[in-house]
């Protein structure tokens, strides 16, 4: 382990590694990440100790661990993980084998410009199938089939023994049968070699006739251990050689019977115990071996061969060949129909998510949104600017000074005028997503107030107010660069004397398990004496959650609208005035029961506030339901109920919601632009849909908070529109895709879309593509032409497939005809040369065909015409 010398980069890596270990070991959600406060404290500890010069030389692990453990580790398990993270410093990070395989596969796939052709797939399938069959043969057909060819049958020469390899019977009769079997096999092998047999050849012959003996080398070693002689020299024709044959047969019998050689001593020394046979008499053959005579015709033990069906293996190529022969039926038919549509119909464009493996070139859609000014922004700003803090004045109050001097019996007393200053408001806005529509709506309101003279500062937070991000009041429509993140401690240092306003629906401030507000609301926010919560939830939906948040914050609650921001003048008023919202909370807390408190607070809290314009949401939309966000479509009954609820709650704004589904990814800029371009109920004479109150309702929907609308909802909302609304939506999207949008207004945006192009860049599923399609009604002549082209495409496809299949079958037949006869062993020299030559010619032909197909496709794509410029795109 290398010595550790901690530096800022190593410390940052250490914290990241420590957080990764916490996640891997399944720590709780609250301990899942290292908070920004812990990171800041660790860096401060490092900077302080380093500046003091207290860091020792050498390995610094034992020095830094006790200093960083109290800051980064909350539990004993976390302390062990921190120690493990220290130990991992300096170790080379080698990816796992499966990670390297996946990375290599992805890199290889990324180099492909298009999917392989049908010829490539067929060739690869054939090679894989042939390799699988060959591997199977190597693993399963190890020993060739033993086919006995002899003058006498094996049953006549060799009696049946324990050839299955099972444990033999230990009786004398069983051992005698095994010994007789291997003695006769030994004599038959000697006769096969004309009584000129070596121990090596004898071991090979016995193992071939009895596979249960194992490899010949093992049997030969046992034979030499019992009766040693030169294994490469012939066994001598003498009594010594005959005794060697007896012992070698006994060694084989002992291995099969799993017993010792001494069990066969009686049979070795006395040939009379071996029963004579009509086909072979062991005693007579042994005497003939001693005299070097060979009166009996040599008998062949066996001959090696393979099954005859192996020559028909080339016929397996018909399986992938049939796939290749009839590949592309649907593509050919659709291609012919699309060619006819492209020549006679008007092309329109649709937005869709990029498919896996798609390629494209980038295209920017530019437009402007002419939005009406925010109502009552100046009036709200004037109300907020009346919020002032008293300060000691610097000017003399002459009347009061004279009165004070007279009252003091002659002493001169100076009294200064009372002073005040405008307060600064700091606003914390909850962000669920980068393109959260509710967050963008609130920032738009804050931007209008700031332009009217209100001193305020806005920050984003996620997942709770303890993690803040510096933001701009208009960055929802103008993307910013790198963000600055800090915690509540940094907020107190920057805005300790400001008025605190939290804009949230309250879900992030409530513990999901206990349904109680988080502890930090009452502790860490106590330093701001005046604070208030603004919620986008309509006042008619307020209940237990809002009351608990008001009690935990000890602050009033208002609505996150332009009129609701004006209510800050009441909620943030000094405590001495006892504003209406604060009195409502005080009166509710005096009640005994929880239900009485909630009822009293709900009745009194909204009385002094601005009138409510938003009606409560339907119960199915009041919560962020996962069933509404998932891509799996709910039952048709639930979909119809959801569409009816949305129509009843949004009114003419349902047209706006359906239009937001045109683009697969929800974007604030596009939502505002559609609201400024679409007219109510699809009629051009009606006013535009956009209004601040309706936009606020849209932002309350869960899909616009997480910026994801499932495909089933996009389809359902679009199908629920009238024909007039569908036509207007097509025209508006035509205007956007054709680049003819108006160039007046305050909001400008640019959407990046991708157009299919194999020469472009690989796309991810998050990218949005624009595809040109047709939705015009075809004429009778066009329908007839399409039918004719479709019939011709099917006929050409069938003839082409049958022709290819005939060629593949002819190829397989020639390969079968050239295969040698496997049942004739041994094969003659040169039997495989015709097959190898035919295989080489086939591979050369495939290479030439693949190269020609690649060149043809490249030339076709180069001269392929782009979509017509005059095509008017529309959403379908």
């Amino acid at each position: 382990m290398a010595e550790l010398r901690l530096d800022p980069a190593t410390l940052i890596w250490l914290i990241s590694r420590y957080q990764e270990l916490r996640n891997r070991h399944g720590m709780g959600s609250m301990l899942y990440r290292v908070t920004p406060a812990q990171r800041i404290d660790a860096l401060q500890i490092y900077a302080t100790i380093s500046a003091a010069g207290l860091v020792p030389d050498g390995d610094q692990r034992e020095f830094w661990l006790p200093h960083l453990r109290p800051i980064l580790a909350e539990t004993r398990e976390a302390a062990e993980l921190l120690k493990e993270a220290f130990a991992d410093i300096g170790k080379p990070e080698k990816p796992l084998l499966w990670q390297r395989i996946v990375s290599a596969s992805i890199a290889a796939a990324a180099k492909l410009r298009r999917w392989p052709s049908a010829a490539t797939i067929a060739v690869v399938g054939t090679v894989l199938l042939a390799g699988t069959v060959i591997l199977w043969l190597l693993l399963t057909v190890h020993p060739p089939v033993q086919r006995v060819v002899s003058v006498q049958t094996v049953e006549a020469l060799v009696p049946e023994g324990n050839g299955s390899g099972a444990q033999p019977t230990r009786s004398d009769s069983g051992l005698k049968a095994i010994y007789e079997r291997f003695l006769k096999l030994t004599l038959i092998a000697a006769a096969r070699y004309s009584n000129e047999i070596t121990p090596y050849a004898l071991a090979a012959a016995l193992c071939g006739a009895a596979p249960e003996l194992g490899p010949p080398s093992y049997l030969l070693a046992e034979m030499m251990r019992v009766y040693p002689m030169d294994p490469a020299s012939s066994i001598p024709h003498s009594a010594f050689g005959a005794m060697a044959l007896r012992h070698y047969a006994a060694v084989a019998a002992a291995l099969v019977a799993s017993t010792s050689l001494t069990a066969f001593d009686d049979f070795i020394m006395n040939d009379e115990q071996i029963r004579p046979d009509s086909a072979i008499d062991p005693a007579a053959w042994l005497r003939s071996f001693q005299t070097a005579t060979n009166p009996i015709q040599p008998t062949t033990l066996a001959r090696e061969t393979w099954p005859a069906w192996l020559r028909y293996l080339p016929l397996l190529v018909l399986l992938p060949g049939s796939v290749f022969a009839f590949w592309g039926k649907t593509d050919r038919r659709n291609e012919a129909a699309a060619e006819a549509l492209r020549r006679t119909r008007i092309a329109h464009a649709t937005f869709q998510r990029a498919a896996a493996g798609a390629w494209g070139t980038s295209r920017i859609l530019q437009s402007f949104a002419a939005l009406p000014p925010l109502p009552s922004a100046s009036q709200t700003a004037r109300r907020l600017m009346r919020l002032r803090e008293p300060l000691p004045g610097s000017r003399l109050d002459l009347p009061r000074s004279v009165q004070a001097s007279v009252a003091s019996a002659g002493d001169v007393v100076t009294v200064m005028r009372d002073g005040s200053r405008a307060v600064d408001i700091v606003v914390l806005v909850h962000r669920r997503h980068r393109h959260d529509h509710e967050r963008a709506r609130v920032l738009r309101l804050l931007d209008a107030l700031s332009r009217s003279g209100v001193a305020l500062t806005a920050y984003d937070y996620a997942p709770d107010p303890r993690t803040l991000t510096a933001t701009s009041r208009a960055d929802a429509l103008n993307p910013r660069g790198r963000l600055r993140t800090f915690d509540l401690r940094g907020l107190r240092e920057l805005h300790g004397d400001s008025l605190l306003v939290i804009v949230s629906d309250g879900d992030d401030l409530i513990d999901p398990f206990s349904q109680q507000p988080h502890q930090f609301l009452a502790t860490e926010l106590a330093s701001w004496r005046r604070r208030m919560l603004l919620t986008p939830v309509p006042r008619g939906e307020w209940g237990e959650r809002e009351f608990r948040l008001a009690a935990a914050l000890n602050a009033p609650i208002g609505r996150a609208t332009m009129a609701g921001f004006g209510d800050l003048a009441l909620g943030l008023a000094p405590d001495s005035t006892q504003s209406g919202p604060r009195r409502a909370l005080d009166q509710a807390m005096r009640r005994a029961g929880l239900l009485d408190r909630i009822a009293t607070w709900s009745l009194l809290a909204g009385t002094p506030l601005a009138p409510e314009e938003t009606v409560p949401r339907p119960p199915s939309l009041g919560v962020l339901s996962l069933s509404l966000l998932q891509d799996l479509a709910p039952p048709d009954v639930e979909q119809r109920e959801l569409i009816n609820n949305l129509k009843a709650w949004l009114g003419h704004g349902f047209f706006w919601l359906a239009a937001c589904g045109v683009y697969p990814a929800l974007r604030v800029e596009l939502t505002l632009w559609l609201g400024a371009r679409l007219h109510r109920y699809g009629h051009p004479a009606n006013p535009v849909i956009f209004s601040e109150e309706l936009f606020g309702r849209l932002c309350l929907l869960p899909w616009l908070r997480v910026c994801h609308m499932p495909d089933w909802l996009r389809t359902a909302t679009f199908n629920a529109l009238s024909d007039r609304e569908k036509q207007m939506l097509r025209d508006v999207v035509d205007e956007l895709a054709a680049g003819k949008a108006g160039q007046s207004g305050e909001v400008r945006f640019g959407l990046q879309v991708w157009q299919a192009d194999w020469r472009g860049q690989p796309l991810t599923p998050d990218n949005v593509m624009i595809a040109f399609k047709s939705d015009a009604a075809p004429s009778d002549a066009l329908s007839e032409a399409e039918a004719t082209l479709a019939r011709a495409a099917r006929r050409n496809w069938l003839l082409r497939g049958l022709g290819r299949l005939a060629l593949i079958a002819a190829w397989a037949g020639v390969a079968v005809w050239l295969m040698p006869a496997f049942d004739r062993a041994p094969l003659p020299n040169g039997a495989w040369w015709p097959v190898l030559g035919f295989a080489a010619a086939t591979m050369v032909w495939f290479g030439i065909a693949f190269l020609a197909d690649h060149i043809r496709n490249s030339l076709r794509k180069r001269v392929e015409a782009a979509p017509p410029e005059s095509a008017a795109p529309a959403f379908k």
Side-chain angles (χ1 to χ4, degrees):
M1 184 183 298
E3 292 185 352
L4 168 65
R5 294 183 179 275
L6 198 64
D7 52 24
T10 307
L11 179 58
I12 294 175
W13 183 93
L14 171 69
I15 295 176
S16 301
R17 176 61 177 169
Y18 171 57
Q19 182 168 279
E20 178 184 352
L21 293 176
R22 289 160 70 108
N23 183 20
R24 183 183 304 172
H25 287 73
M27 302 190 73
S29 60
M30 295 301 294
L31 300 179
Y32 167 75
R33 60 186 179 89
V34 179
T35 64
Q38 291 175 311
R39 296 175 182 266
I40 294 174
D41 292 340
L43 291 173
Q44 288 180 347
I45 290 287
Y46 170 79
T48 303
I49 297 178
S50 300
L54 302 178
V55 182
D57 296 332
D59 195 354
Q60 302 172 3
R61 286 183 174 85
E62 297 299 330
F63 172 78
W64 286 110
L65 183 59
H67 288 84
L68 297 178
R69 185 189 294 119
I71 300 173
L72 298 176
E74 303 88 344
T75 61
R76 184 177 302 174
E77 293 80 3
E80 293 297 328
L81 296 180
L82 180 61
K83 186 176 180 180
E84 183 178 348
F86 265 101
D88 291 343
I89 296 178
K91 290 184 179 179
E93 296 185 2
K94 183 178 181 181
L96 300 177
L97 178 60
W98 68 269
Q99 294 176 341
R100 295 197 298 270
I101 295 176
V102 171
S103 301
S105 303
I106 294 176
K111 296 180 181 179
L112 295 176
R113 289 289 179 174
R114 60 183 179 88
W115 290 103
S117 61
T120 306
I121 296 176
V123 171
V124 174
T126 304
V127 172
L128 292 178
L129 182 60
T132 303
V133 172
I134 293 174
L135 180 60
W136 175 75
L137 291 175
L138 293 177
L139 296 177
T140 57
V141 193
H142 277 301
V145 178
Q146 301 293 331
R147 185 161 63 87
V148 177
V149 180
S150 64
V151 180
Q152 297 86 4
T153 61
V154 173
E155 290 77 13
L157 293 176
V158 183
E160 290 186 0
N162 187 20
S164 62
Q167 290 292 338
T169 306
R170 294 307 180 93
S171 62
D172 292 342
S173 60
L175 296 178
K176 180 179 178 181
I178 297 175
Y179 174 72
E180 289 179 356
R181 176 196 176 199
F182 281 101
L183 181 59
K184 292 179 180 180
L185 289 175
T186 301
L187 296 175
I188 292 173
R192 182 183 180 184
Y193 285 89
S194 301
N195 288 335
E196 296 293 336
I197 189 170
T198 62
Y200 181 85
L202 178 60
L206 291 179
C207 291
E212 62 269 23
L213 288 174
S217 58
Y218 177 70
L219 177 61
L220 180 62
E222 293 295 323
M223 291 165 52
M224 294 298 100
R225 187 175 63 83
V226 174
Y227 220 89
M229 65 174 57
D230 186 6
S233 301
S234 299
I235 300 175
H237 302 284
S238 61
F240 175 79
M243 187 59 67
L245 294 180
R246 295 186 181 93
H247 280 81
Y248 294 157
V251 168
L255 291 176
V256 172
S258 299
T259 184
S260 62
L261 189 63
T262 57
F264 301 94
D265 288 345
D266 294 340
F267 308 131
I268 294 175
M269 303 307 299
N270 188 2
D271 292 337
E272 298 298 332
Q273 297 187 27
I274 302 176
R275 58 188 176 184
D277 196 337
S278 59
I280 179 174
D281 185 0
W285 280 42
L286 287 172
R287 289 193 298 271
S288 299
F289 182 82
Q290 296 182 32
T291 57
T293 59
N294 190 19
I296 302 177
Q297 181 179 358
T299 305
T300 304
L301 287 177
R303 190 176 67 184
E304 298 179 351
T305 182
W306 277 271
W309 57 266
L310 290 179
R311 68 179 304 176
Y312 298 102
L313 283 179
L315 295 178
L316 292 177
V317 78
L318 292 177
L319 297 177
S322 60
V323 176
F324 164 73
F326 295 96
W327 183 273
K329 171 183 176 182
T330 305
D331 294 340
R332 281 297 181 92
R333 187 170 61 223
N334 289 343
E335 184 178 353
E339 182 65 25
L341 290 174
R342 186 161 47 245
R343 293 178 180 178
T344 55
R345 296 184 184 181
I346 300 175
H348 295 272
T350 61
F351 295 109
Q352 60 188 10
R353 290 185 178 89
W359 292 68
T361 54
S362 177
R363 178 179 176 184
I364 303 298
L365 303 181
Q366 294 283 359
S367 185
F368 297 81
L371 301 179
L374 287 169
S376 66
S378 58
Q379 180 181 356
T380 302
R382 286 194 298 270
R383 292 186 62 187
L384 291 178
M385 286 189 291
R386 294 194 188 102
L387 282 174
R388 306 186 68 83
E389 289 182 346
L391 288 176
S394 58
R395 297 178 60 186
L396 181 66
D397 191 343
L398 185 58
R400 294 174 60 187
S401 299
V402 171
Q403 293 177 3
S405 299
V406 172
S408 63
D411 295 335
V412 178
V413 179
T414 59
V415 180
M416 309 304 293
R417 292 183 180 181
D418 295 332
S420 64
R421 68 177 180 88
V423 297
D424 180 42
I425 302 175
V426 57
V427 185
L428 309 183
V429 185
H430 183 211
R431 183 188 70 240
R432 293 185 183 273
H433 189 271
R434 177 186 174 190
H435 300 281
D436 188 348
H437 284 53
E438 174 60 24
R439 165 185 173 268
R441 185 187 69 86
V442 173
L443 292 181
R444 185 167 176 267
L445 300 180
L446 296 178
D447 184 60
L449 294 177
S450 179
R451 292 180 182 178
S452 299
V454 180
L456 55 85
T457 307
Y459 295 97
D460 291 338
Y461 73 85
D464 55 58
R466 290 173 294 184
T467 304
L468 302 172
T469 303
T471 182
S472 169
R473 287 178 293 276
D475 69 344
L477 308 179
N478 300 292
R480 292 168 55 86
R482 188 174 182 181
L483 302 179
R484 234 173 4 104
T485 303
F486 55 98
D487 57 1
L488 288 176
R489 182 179 57 183
L491 186 67
R492 283 193 296 269
E493 296 176 357
L494 295 174
H495 306 280
D497 56 348
S498 301
L499 305 182
L500 180 64
V501 178
I502 300 178
V503 181
S504 170
D505 57 4
D507 287 341
D508 55 294
L509 306 177
I510 297 291
D511 190 336
F513 298 101
S514 63
Q515 293 299 312
Q516 297 291 333
H518 290 296
Q519 293 295 330
F520 70 86
L521 294 179
T523 57
E524 299 188 32
L525 299 181
S527 58
W528 285 276
R529 190 167 52 88
R530 284 188 286 173
R531 51 192 180 272
M532 189 171 180
L533 174 67
L534 298 182
T535 175
V537 178
R539 198 178 302 160
E541 299 181 27
W542 288 7
E544 180 181 359
R545 177 181 58 180
E546 285 71 21
F547 171 72
R548 291 186 181 276
L549 289 175
L553 288 169
N554 191 20
I557 294 183
R559 286 275 284 122
T561 60
M562 182 58 75
F565 278 105
D567 294 333
L568 293 176
L570 293 175
L572 298 179
D575 295 339
S576 59
T577 62
Q578 282 294 303
S579 62
R582 290 183 177 274
R583 286 197 300 269
L585 181 60
D586 293 340
Q587 293 181 20
M589 295 303 294
R590 296 192 188 102
R591 298 289 182 175
L594 177 61
L595 296 180
D596 292 341
R597 293 180 180 180
I598 297 175
T600 303
W601 179 83
S602 300
L603 179 63
L604 299 178
T607 302
L609 301 180
E612 179 63 80
E613 298 178 355
T614 305
V615 298
R617 293 170 291 181
S620 59
L621 301 175
V623 295
L624 189 63
S625 177
L626 294 178
S627 61
L628 300 179
L629 299 177
Q630 63 182 358
D631 294 328
L632 181 63
D636 294 340
V637 177
E638 296 183 10
Q639 291 189 38
R640 288 194 295 270
E641 181 182 0
L642 176 62
I643 295 300
N644 293 333
N645 291 337
L646 289 173
K647 285 184 175 180
W649 188 61
L650 293 175
H652 60 268
F654 181 80
F655 183 21
W656 194 0
L657 175 64
C660 294
V662 171
Y663 197 72
L666 295 178
R667 295 293 181 265
V668 180
E669 308 92 333
L670 182 59
T671 302
L672 294 175
W673 185 80
L674 290 173
R677 296 296 301 165
L678 297 174
H679 295 263
R680 298 180 182 180
Y681 305 109
H683 199 288
N686 292 336
V688 296
I689 290 180
F690 179 84
S691 68
E692 292 297 332
E693 194 273 335
L694 187 56
F695 184 52
R697 291 195 187 189
L698 280 181
C699 294
L700 284 173
L701 297 176
W703 309 288
L704 280 77
R705 295 300 307 272
V706 299
C707 298
H708 173 70
M709 183 180 291
D711 291 338
W712 62 266
L713 181 62
R714 299 173 60 217
T715 304
T717 53
F718 183 79
N719 293 334
L721 299 178
S722 63
D723 294 339
R724 180 180 295 175
E725 290 172 333
K726 290 180 181 179
Q727 185 60 42
M728 174 171 282
L729 182 55
R730 288 192 181 98
D731 295 339
V732 169
V733 179
D734 290 349
E735 180 182 342
L736 173 65
K740 300 177 182 179
Q743 305 226 345
S744 62
E746 61 177 9
V747 180
R748 175 180 178 177
F749 74 95
L751 290 178
Q752 183 185 32
V753 296
W754 295 81
Q755 201 161 356
D757 187 358
W758 67 277
R759 295 164 295 185
Q761 301 178 7
L763 306 183
T764 63
D766 296 333
N767 295 121
V768 177
M769 296 189 66
I770 183 170
F772 291 92
K773 296 183 179 180
S774 172
D775 63 349
S779 61
D780 295 337
L782 179 60
S783 301
E784 182 63 27
E786 282 188 50
T788 303
L789 289 174
R791 287 194 297 269
R794 286 194 296 269
R795 183 173 60 254
N796 294 337
W797 163 79
L798 181 61
L799 294 177
R800 182 198 62 184
L802 292 177
R804 288 181 177 179
L805 191 60
L807 290 177
I808 295 173
W811 179 92
V814 173
V816 171
W817 177 65
L818 292 176
M819 282 287 180
F822 289 96
D823 56 345
R824 299 177 182 177
L827 295 176
N829 295 332
W832 288 97
W833 285 112
V835 180
L836 295 178
F838 183 71
T842 302
M843 296 304 296
V844 171
W845 181 86
F846 269 119
I848 295 175
F850 176 76
L851 183 61
D853 181 71
H854 183 73
I855 295 175
R856 179 172 56 85
N857 289 334
S858 300
L859 294 177
R860 179 178 59 83
K861 289 180 178 180
R862 287 184 180 180
V863 300
E864 191 176 37
E869 294 294 338
S870 60
F875 178 72
K876 182 177 180 181

